[in-house]
Amino acid sequence: MPEGGVRCRIAPAPTGSLHVGNARTALYNWLFARHHGGSFVLRIEDTDRKRSTEEAIGVIVDSLRWLGLDWDEGPEVGGDYGPYRQTERLEIYRRTVERLLEEGRAYPCYCTPEELEERRRAALARGETPGYDGRCRSLSQAERRRFEAEGRRRAVRFAMPGEDVTVHDLIRGETHFPASDLKDFVILRSDGTPTYLLAAAVDDVLMRMTHVIRGEDLLPSTPRQVKVMEALGATPPRYAHLPLIVGPDRQPLSKRHGAVSVEWYREQGYLPEALVNYLALLGWSYDDVTTFFTLEELVEKFDLSRVSRNPAAFDLEKLTWMNGHYLRAADEERLVGLLVEALRREGIEAPPEAVRAALPLVRERMHTVREGVGYLRFLFVEVKPDEKAHRLLGPDRAGYLEEVARRLEGLQEWTPEAVEAALRALKDERGLSSKDAFQPVRAAVTGRLVSPPLFESIALLGRDRTLARLRAAATAG
RNA sequence: GGUCCCAUCGUCUAGCGGCCUAGGACACCACCCUCUCAAGGUGGAGACACGGGUUCAAAUCCCGUUGGGACCA
């Protein structure tokens, strides 16, 4: 394969948001293309009209862009091998099928679902491998005319050559498929729509794909697509089948495992560079110690030969840890923007200057922007102590909280240092432990037992609101 | 049921015959730091699925078994 000649693609079906599994496939394709200075193509496989939506295309496009994966050809950017939506290519598929029909590489099949089912059962009963028996392949012209006259619906099947097929996979090596398992399959349904097997194969040929990097679930369809391509007189691309991403139960990752869409991670406040880094390492590794990679480093280092063959379990905890790392490294203004935006989504209008002032308190301890919002909200809205905090604010604390308020009220300067000095002095006078001295104050002021550093928090909250909260807690108790 | 894929700590993985008394990361435990929680630091526990071969030598090669999974039906 000449350098620069690499062409690969991601071909999502727009039936929902971008699944993290597809995101990883997209990433690997993109990295492979960029590494080799080739082209990355986005193709929309929307032939399933009932489930495909315009909105989903938008979401997928946004998610890919958010991740930083740009495409050289496809929706919104065009290209020399379009159109890039399969619903706009239906005529191409029909003509292709017509050609295969004329050349005897495909044939009409009039079998009804009922007949197929009946023969399948019979084959099973005889202990044979079920699968299409090729009945319509040898129909005479007369028989065909008779079926047509009966008004039978006609599908088109591809005539498999009846030979064993070896697929050379860049990740798995050679895989052999026996001819006995490669039965003639439908390429054009009776309603005139192409099947996945045909459409993807035709597009990969016409779009000049040199490499097809996709999920392992498509490995079994490869020998069929290769034969279709050969029947079309084309040279099949090189294939690389990625192991699946599974959930904690080792089942393919799906909605029931919770978060699977890139969109969700974005909303929760994960950074794209964290998701990319995590996904890159989910099924690929560079060496035995390197954990963090920028997109540029990935482009430089990515290599299909180092892709794993084992299904990988998606580990949200590790992703979250990694996100914390990127959050700590992120630019201050970017974080302020993200926090302001996330606060707004919760109905809180926070002045950017206030968020900027509070940033040092949260950037070390948040793992997601959303978590940061949880730490900061007490600064912007009145808080109602949560259950644990409430328990610390019983009547026996009222006097103490009242005293804390009095001491703070008398402060000349409202700074973290002054607040700390006052609270520590009281703590020492009363011989209290840190826990007994500070936790009730934290509960009253932030409404939680877990918060950013107390003295800084009080300083940011301001005198009036702090005193009000302390006294409210004292009276409520 | 048939075909195919896969098999190292709980998880992601390094390992491609001797460097392995198996390395790193997340999670976990302990300690340090400490106003809570984090972050950070130090230390710890934790894996080659099993059985046969091949070889002077196997986590690494071959064959079986078992166990997962995909696809087709």
Side-chain angles (χ1 to χ4, degrees):
Chain A
M1 196 53 55
E3 282 289 305
V6 163
R7 291 176 58 82
C8 53
R9 77 330 191 252
I10 176 74
T15 56
S17 41
L18 186 66
H19 184 281
V20 290
N22 285 135
R24 188 193 59 168
T25 303
L27 174 64
Y28 285 19
N29 272 282
W30 185 87
L31 290 174
F32 185 76
R34 293 290 171 260
H35 179 86
H36 291 282
S39 298
F40 175 60
V41 177
L42 171 60
R43 180 171 79 220
I44 303 295
E45 306 211 327
D46 57 349
T47 53
D48 183 347
R49 287 197 143 126
K50 286 188 289 294
R51 303 202 304 137
S52 300
T53 67
E54 206 62 36
E55 186 197 357
I57 295 178
V59 172
I60 287 168
V61 160
D62 285 349
S63 289
L64 287 171
R65 289 238 167 86
W66 179 70
L67 287 170
L69 310 182
D70 57 335
W71 50 99
D72 306 293
E73 297 170 31
E76 299 183 7
V77 303
D80 296 339
Y81 302 93
Y84 294 92
R85 284 178 64 163
Q86 291 191 326
T87 45
E88 293 172 14
R89 302 173 63 79
L90 294 177
E91 196 45 43
I92 295 172
Y93 308 131
R94 277 189 208 112
R95 281 203 306 270
T96 303
V97 169
E98 211 52 49
R99 182 181 144 197
L100 289 171
L101 241 18
E102 282 165 15
E103 294 172 358
R105 308 303 298 260
Y107 58 88
C109 172
Y110 301 91
C111 298
T112 65
E114 295 73 30
E115 289 168 346
L116 256 17
E117 176 60 18
E118 190 183 320
R119 298 212 298 273
R120 193 183 72 82
R121 284 178 198 281
L124 230 37
R126 289 193 303 272
E128 293 168 13
T129 313
Y132 188 65
D133 54 11
R135 169 165 309 201
C136 291
R137 190 163 173 171
S138 51
L139 251 31
S140 67
Q141 285 302 322
E143 287 170 312
R144 280 185 188 160
R145 274 195 297 274
R146 202 185 78 231
F147 280 143
E148 296 277 357
E150 284 177 16
R152 284 202 179 217
R153 291 168 70 87
R154 169 192 118 146
V156 176
R157 282 183 190 274
F158 182 73
M160 283 297 278
E163 58 197 29
D164 295 352
V165 179
T166 297
V167 172
H168 302 269
D169 190 281
L170 262 16
I171 293 170
R172 278 149 221 286
E174 295 197 342
T175 304
H176 308 279
F177 295 87
S180 61
D181 206 47
L182 298 170
K183 304 290 177 55
D184 296 348
F185 55 93
V186 173
I187 53 177
L188 195 72
R189 298 190 190 89
S190 54
D191 64 3
T193 61
T195 57
Y196 166 78
L197 252 16
L198 178 86
V202 169
D203 289 347
D204 286 337
V205 165
L206 262 24
M207 293 182 182
R208 303 278 191 274
M209 289 300 140
T210 60
H211 294 76
V212 169
I213 303 168
R214 43 150 53 164
E216 186 189 9
D217 50 332
L218 293 169
L219 181 56
S221 73
T222 308
R224 296 171 178 84
Q225 295 186 311
V226 163
K227 285 300 152 190
V228 168
M229 291 170 173
E230 287 174 357
L232 259 17
T235 306
R238 306 275 271 143
Y239 285 91
H241 288 91
L242 268 22
L244 262 23
I245 295 179
V246 299
D249 57 356
R250 300 258 119 205
Q251 298 292 312
L253 195 66
S254 71
K255 277 135 298 186
R256 63 195 179 74
H257 291 107
V260 293
S261 76
V262 170
E263 192 71 359
W264 185 86
Y265 289 95
R266 182 181 184 174
E267 284 165 4
Q268 291 298 308
Y270 284 83
L271 262 21
E273 59 266 42
L275 225 206
V276 161
N277 195 153
Y278 178 72
L279 252 19
L281 252 19
L282 196 63
W284 173 84
S285 65
Y286 176 62
D287 58 20
D288 55 340
V289 291
T290 315
T291 302
F292 298 110
F293 299 86
T294 61
L295 247 198
E296 295 69 36
E297 288 167 339
L298 287 173
V299 167
E300 182 200 328
K301 292 170 171 156
F302 186 77
D303 178 4
L304 280 179
S305 72
R306 291 195 64 87
V307 171
S308 167
R309 290 185 302 270
N310 313 346
F314 191 86
D315 183 357
L316 182 60
E317 279 188 289
K318 188 162 186 176
L319 201 211
T320 303
W321 162 80
M322 189 169 266
N323 199 53
H325 168 89
Y326 279 101
L327 245 14
R328 268 169 260 132
D331 176 77
E332 182 177 309
E333 284 314 301
R334 180 183 178 202
L335 289 181
V336 169
L338 287 171
L339 283 164
V340 167
E341 184 191 324
L343 281 159
R344 186 172 298 139
R345 271 206 300 275
E346 297 200 9
I348 301 171
E349 283 302 327
E353 319 82 64
V355 172
R356 190 174 302 121
L359 188 60
L361 303 193
V362 294
R363 90 180 292 161
E364 288 297 317
R365 64 197 83 237
M366 65 176 176
H367 297 91
T368 64
V369 174
R370 195 137 193 274
E371 191 183 356
V373 167
Y375 278 124
L376 292 182
R377 58 181 312 137
F378 79 95
L379 286 172
F380 306 106
V381 292
E382 288 313 310
V383 292
K384 179 175 176 294
D386 66 22
E387 199 187 325
K388 284 179 183 166
H390 185 74
R391 251 182 270 138
L392 258 197
L393 298 171
D396 51 325
R397 304 278 188 189
Y400 177 67
L401 291 172
E402 185 54 51
E403 179 60 18
V404 169
R406 253 195 307 278
R407 299 286 180 107
L408 292 179
E409 191 165 29
L411 250 31
Q412 295 291 317
E413 295 225 319
W414 193 260
T415 62
E417 295 73 22
V419 170
E420 176 166 11
L423 291 182
R424 285 199 189 281
L426 181 58
K427 165 183 181 285
D428 293 341
E429 279 171 36
R430 300 211 172 182
L432 296 172
S433 66
S434 292
K435 184 183 165 203
D436 287 336
F438 303 134
Q439 285 300 78
V441 179
R442 187 188 308 281
V445 174
T446 71
R448 293 167 44 168
L449 259 30
V450 173
S451 80
L454 185 58
F455 316 126
E456 286 82 350
S457 294
I458 288 175
L460 283 175
L461 225 210
R463 190 185 304 250
D464 295 347
R465 285 195 294 168
T466 301
L467 297 181
R469 286 184 195 185
L470 284 167
R471 292 198 164 120
T475 4

